[in-house]
Amino acid sequence: METILIKQVAKQITDASSVLICCHIAPDGDAIGSLLGLGLTLQQSGRQVTMACGDPVPLSCRHLPHWEGITASPGYDELDLVISLDCSDVERLGNVYEPSKLTHVPIVNIDHHATNTRFGHLNWIDTEAAATAQMLVRLIDTLGLPLTVEAATCLLNGLLTDTLGFRTSNTTVEVMETVAYLMRAGAPLAALTDINYNRRPISVVQMWAAALQELHLEGRIAWTQITRDIRQRVGYTENGSSGLVNFICSADEVDIAAVFEEAENGQVNVSIRAVPGFNVSQVAFALGGGGHPQAAGCSLSAPLEQVRERVVTLLKQAWQESQNLTPLSKSPTMAYE
Ligand code: AMP
Ligand code: MN
Ligand code: MN
């Protein structure tokens, strides 16, 4: 079944000579890694390729080759195909995808989020895949295209970051085989691991320190917030809560963690994490966001306190429901996600 789907996706790409590839706004290492991994590969094959993201490439992805080639204002002339990567709903593509201007251009949706709304003309959604980048390795193989060192590097970056450095429970044998395949193609695992997990600006550490002083624990749910005031004090303007929410969720006493971040655009970005046995993707989805059972998020246009109250109430319900289904307590031998 899935093989048929990959072949259909491959055929759409083979038949296209001008392609727009997009990923989700507030992009992470898988979104940008996938965008570049597929984009560079298709460029190499002689196609006209535009790589687009509605938000700027974050500092945390600027070690990837050719990130400067990603645009926030793509042209739509003589386009044969749009490919959406790592994006669970069409609004999350942001301004780079304007459906009214692209009515005659098919969109192929390639993603691994369980909350994907299947907005494409063709939807290849593999919720078992640890990253969209992992799916793209199969796609590039099906296309019969060579994998350059640069594309392999970008794809490995996606796989590395979506598995939190190969620590999530979906880090399967297949994932590790894909890692070996990408390393054989020249992707530098040690360097990527170092950049993604061992280095960060001091302003991020200061921001976490400020946020951690206000850490709240309600039952086994922990939350904190990054206010605009904190961000201004430390001089950090990017989104930077993913590492923090992962860290909070690592506490033995915590099953679900959330970080509420006042974004520059006035919205509140909510990052949620859970240990195995709990599912937070439905809470995020119900609030217009999405994600995976153990890592999800949403963005809400309301005052910070209101957002906090609403989300924490729903998280308490989700915790209770999970508890009723599987009376699991966190065990140190379990994988994170
Ligand atoms: P984050 O907390 O930003 O690292 O995101 C965790 C997961 O939730 C990722 O898979 C994101 O793609 C997803 N996610 C975060 N925010 C949203 C949103 N506003 N809409 C849909 N999915 C989101
Ligand atoms: Mn992503
Ligand atoms: Mn992903």
Side-chain angles (χ1 to χ4, degrees), residues 56-68:
V57 175
L59 289 177
S60 59
C61 290
R62 293 193 182 180
H63 57 281
L64 293 176
H66 303 293
W67 68 266
E68 304 95 333

Side-chain angles (χ1 to χ4, degrees), residues 220-337:
R220 294 183 64 86
I221 299 171
W223 61 267
T224 190
Q225 57 192 27
I226 298 174
T227 57
R228 224 170 290 148
D229 177 54
I230 292 180
R231 285 145 69 86
Q232 270 161 14
R233 243 174 25 226
V234 303
Y236 191 75
T237 48
E238 300 225 348
N239 296 332
S241 57
S242 286
L244 177 61
V245 74
N246 291 334
F247 180 61
I248 294 172
C249 202
S250 71
D252 285 336
E253 292 75 8
V254 172
D255 293 327
I256 294 176
V259 171
F260 302 92
E261 187 174 39
E262 269 185 319
E264 295 295 314
N265 63 6
Q267 288 199 315
V268 178
N269 294 333
V270 188
S271 276
I272 315 170
R273 298 292 184 271
V275 299
F278 296 84
N279 184 342
V280 289
S281 67
Q282 289 315 315
V283 169
F285 189 67
L287 295 169
H292 308 285
Q294 270 90 52
C298 58
S299 297
L300 297 171
S301 299
L304 188 58
E305 271 139 66
Q306 261 178 42
V307 172
R308 231 170 46 203
E309 247 165 61
R310 198 159 164 215
V311 173
V312 172
T313 304
L314 290 174
L315 290 178
K316 283 178 181 165
Q317 283 168 14
W319 185 88
Q320 196 58 52
E321 276 160 28
S322 304
Q323 201 70 4
N324 295 341
L325 288 174
T326 40
L328 261 179
S329 68
K330 193 174 166 187
S331 132
T333 56
M334 285 175 82
Y336 168 85
E337 192 176 34

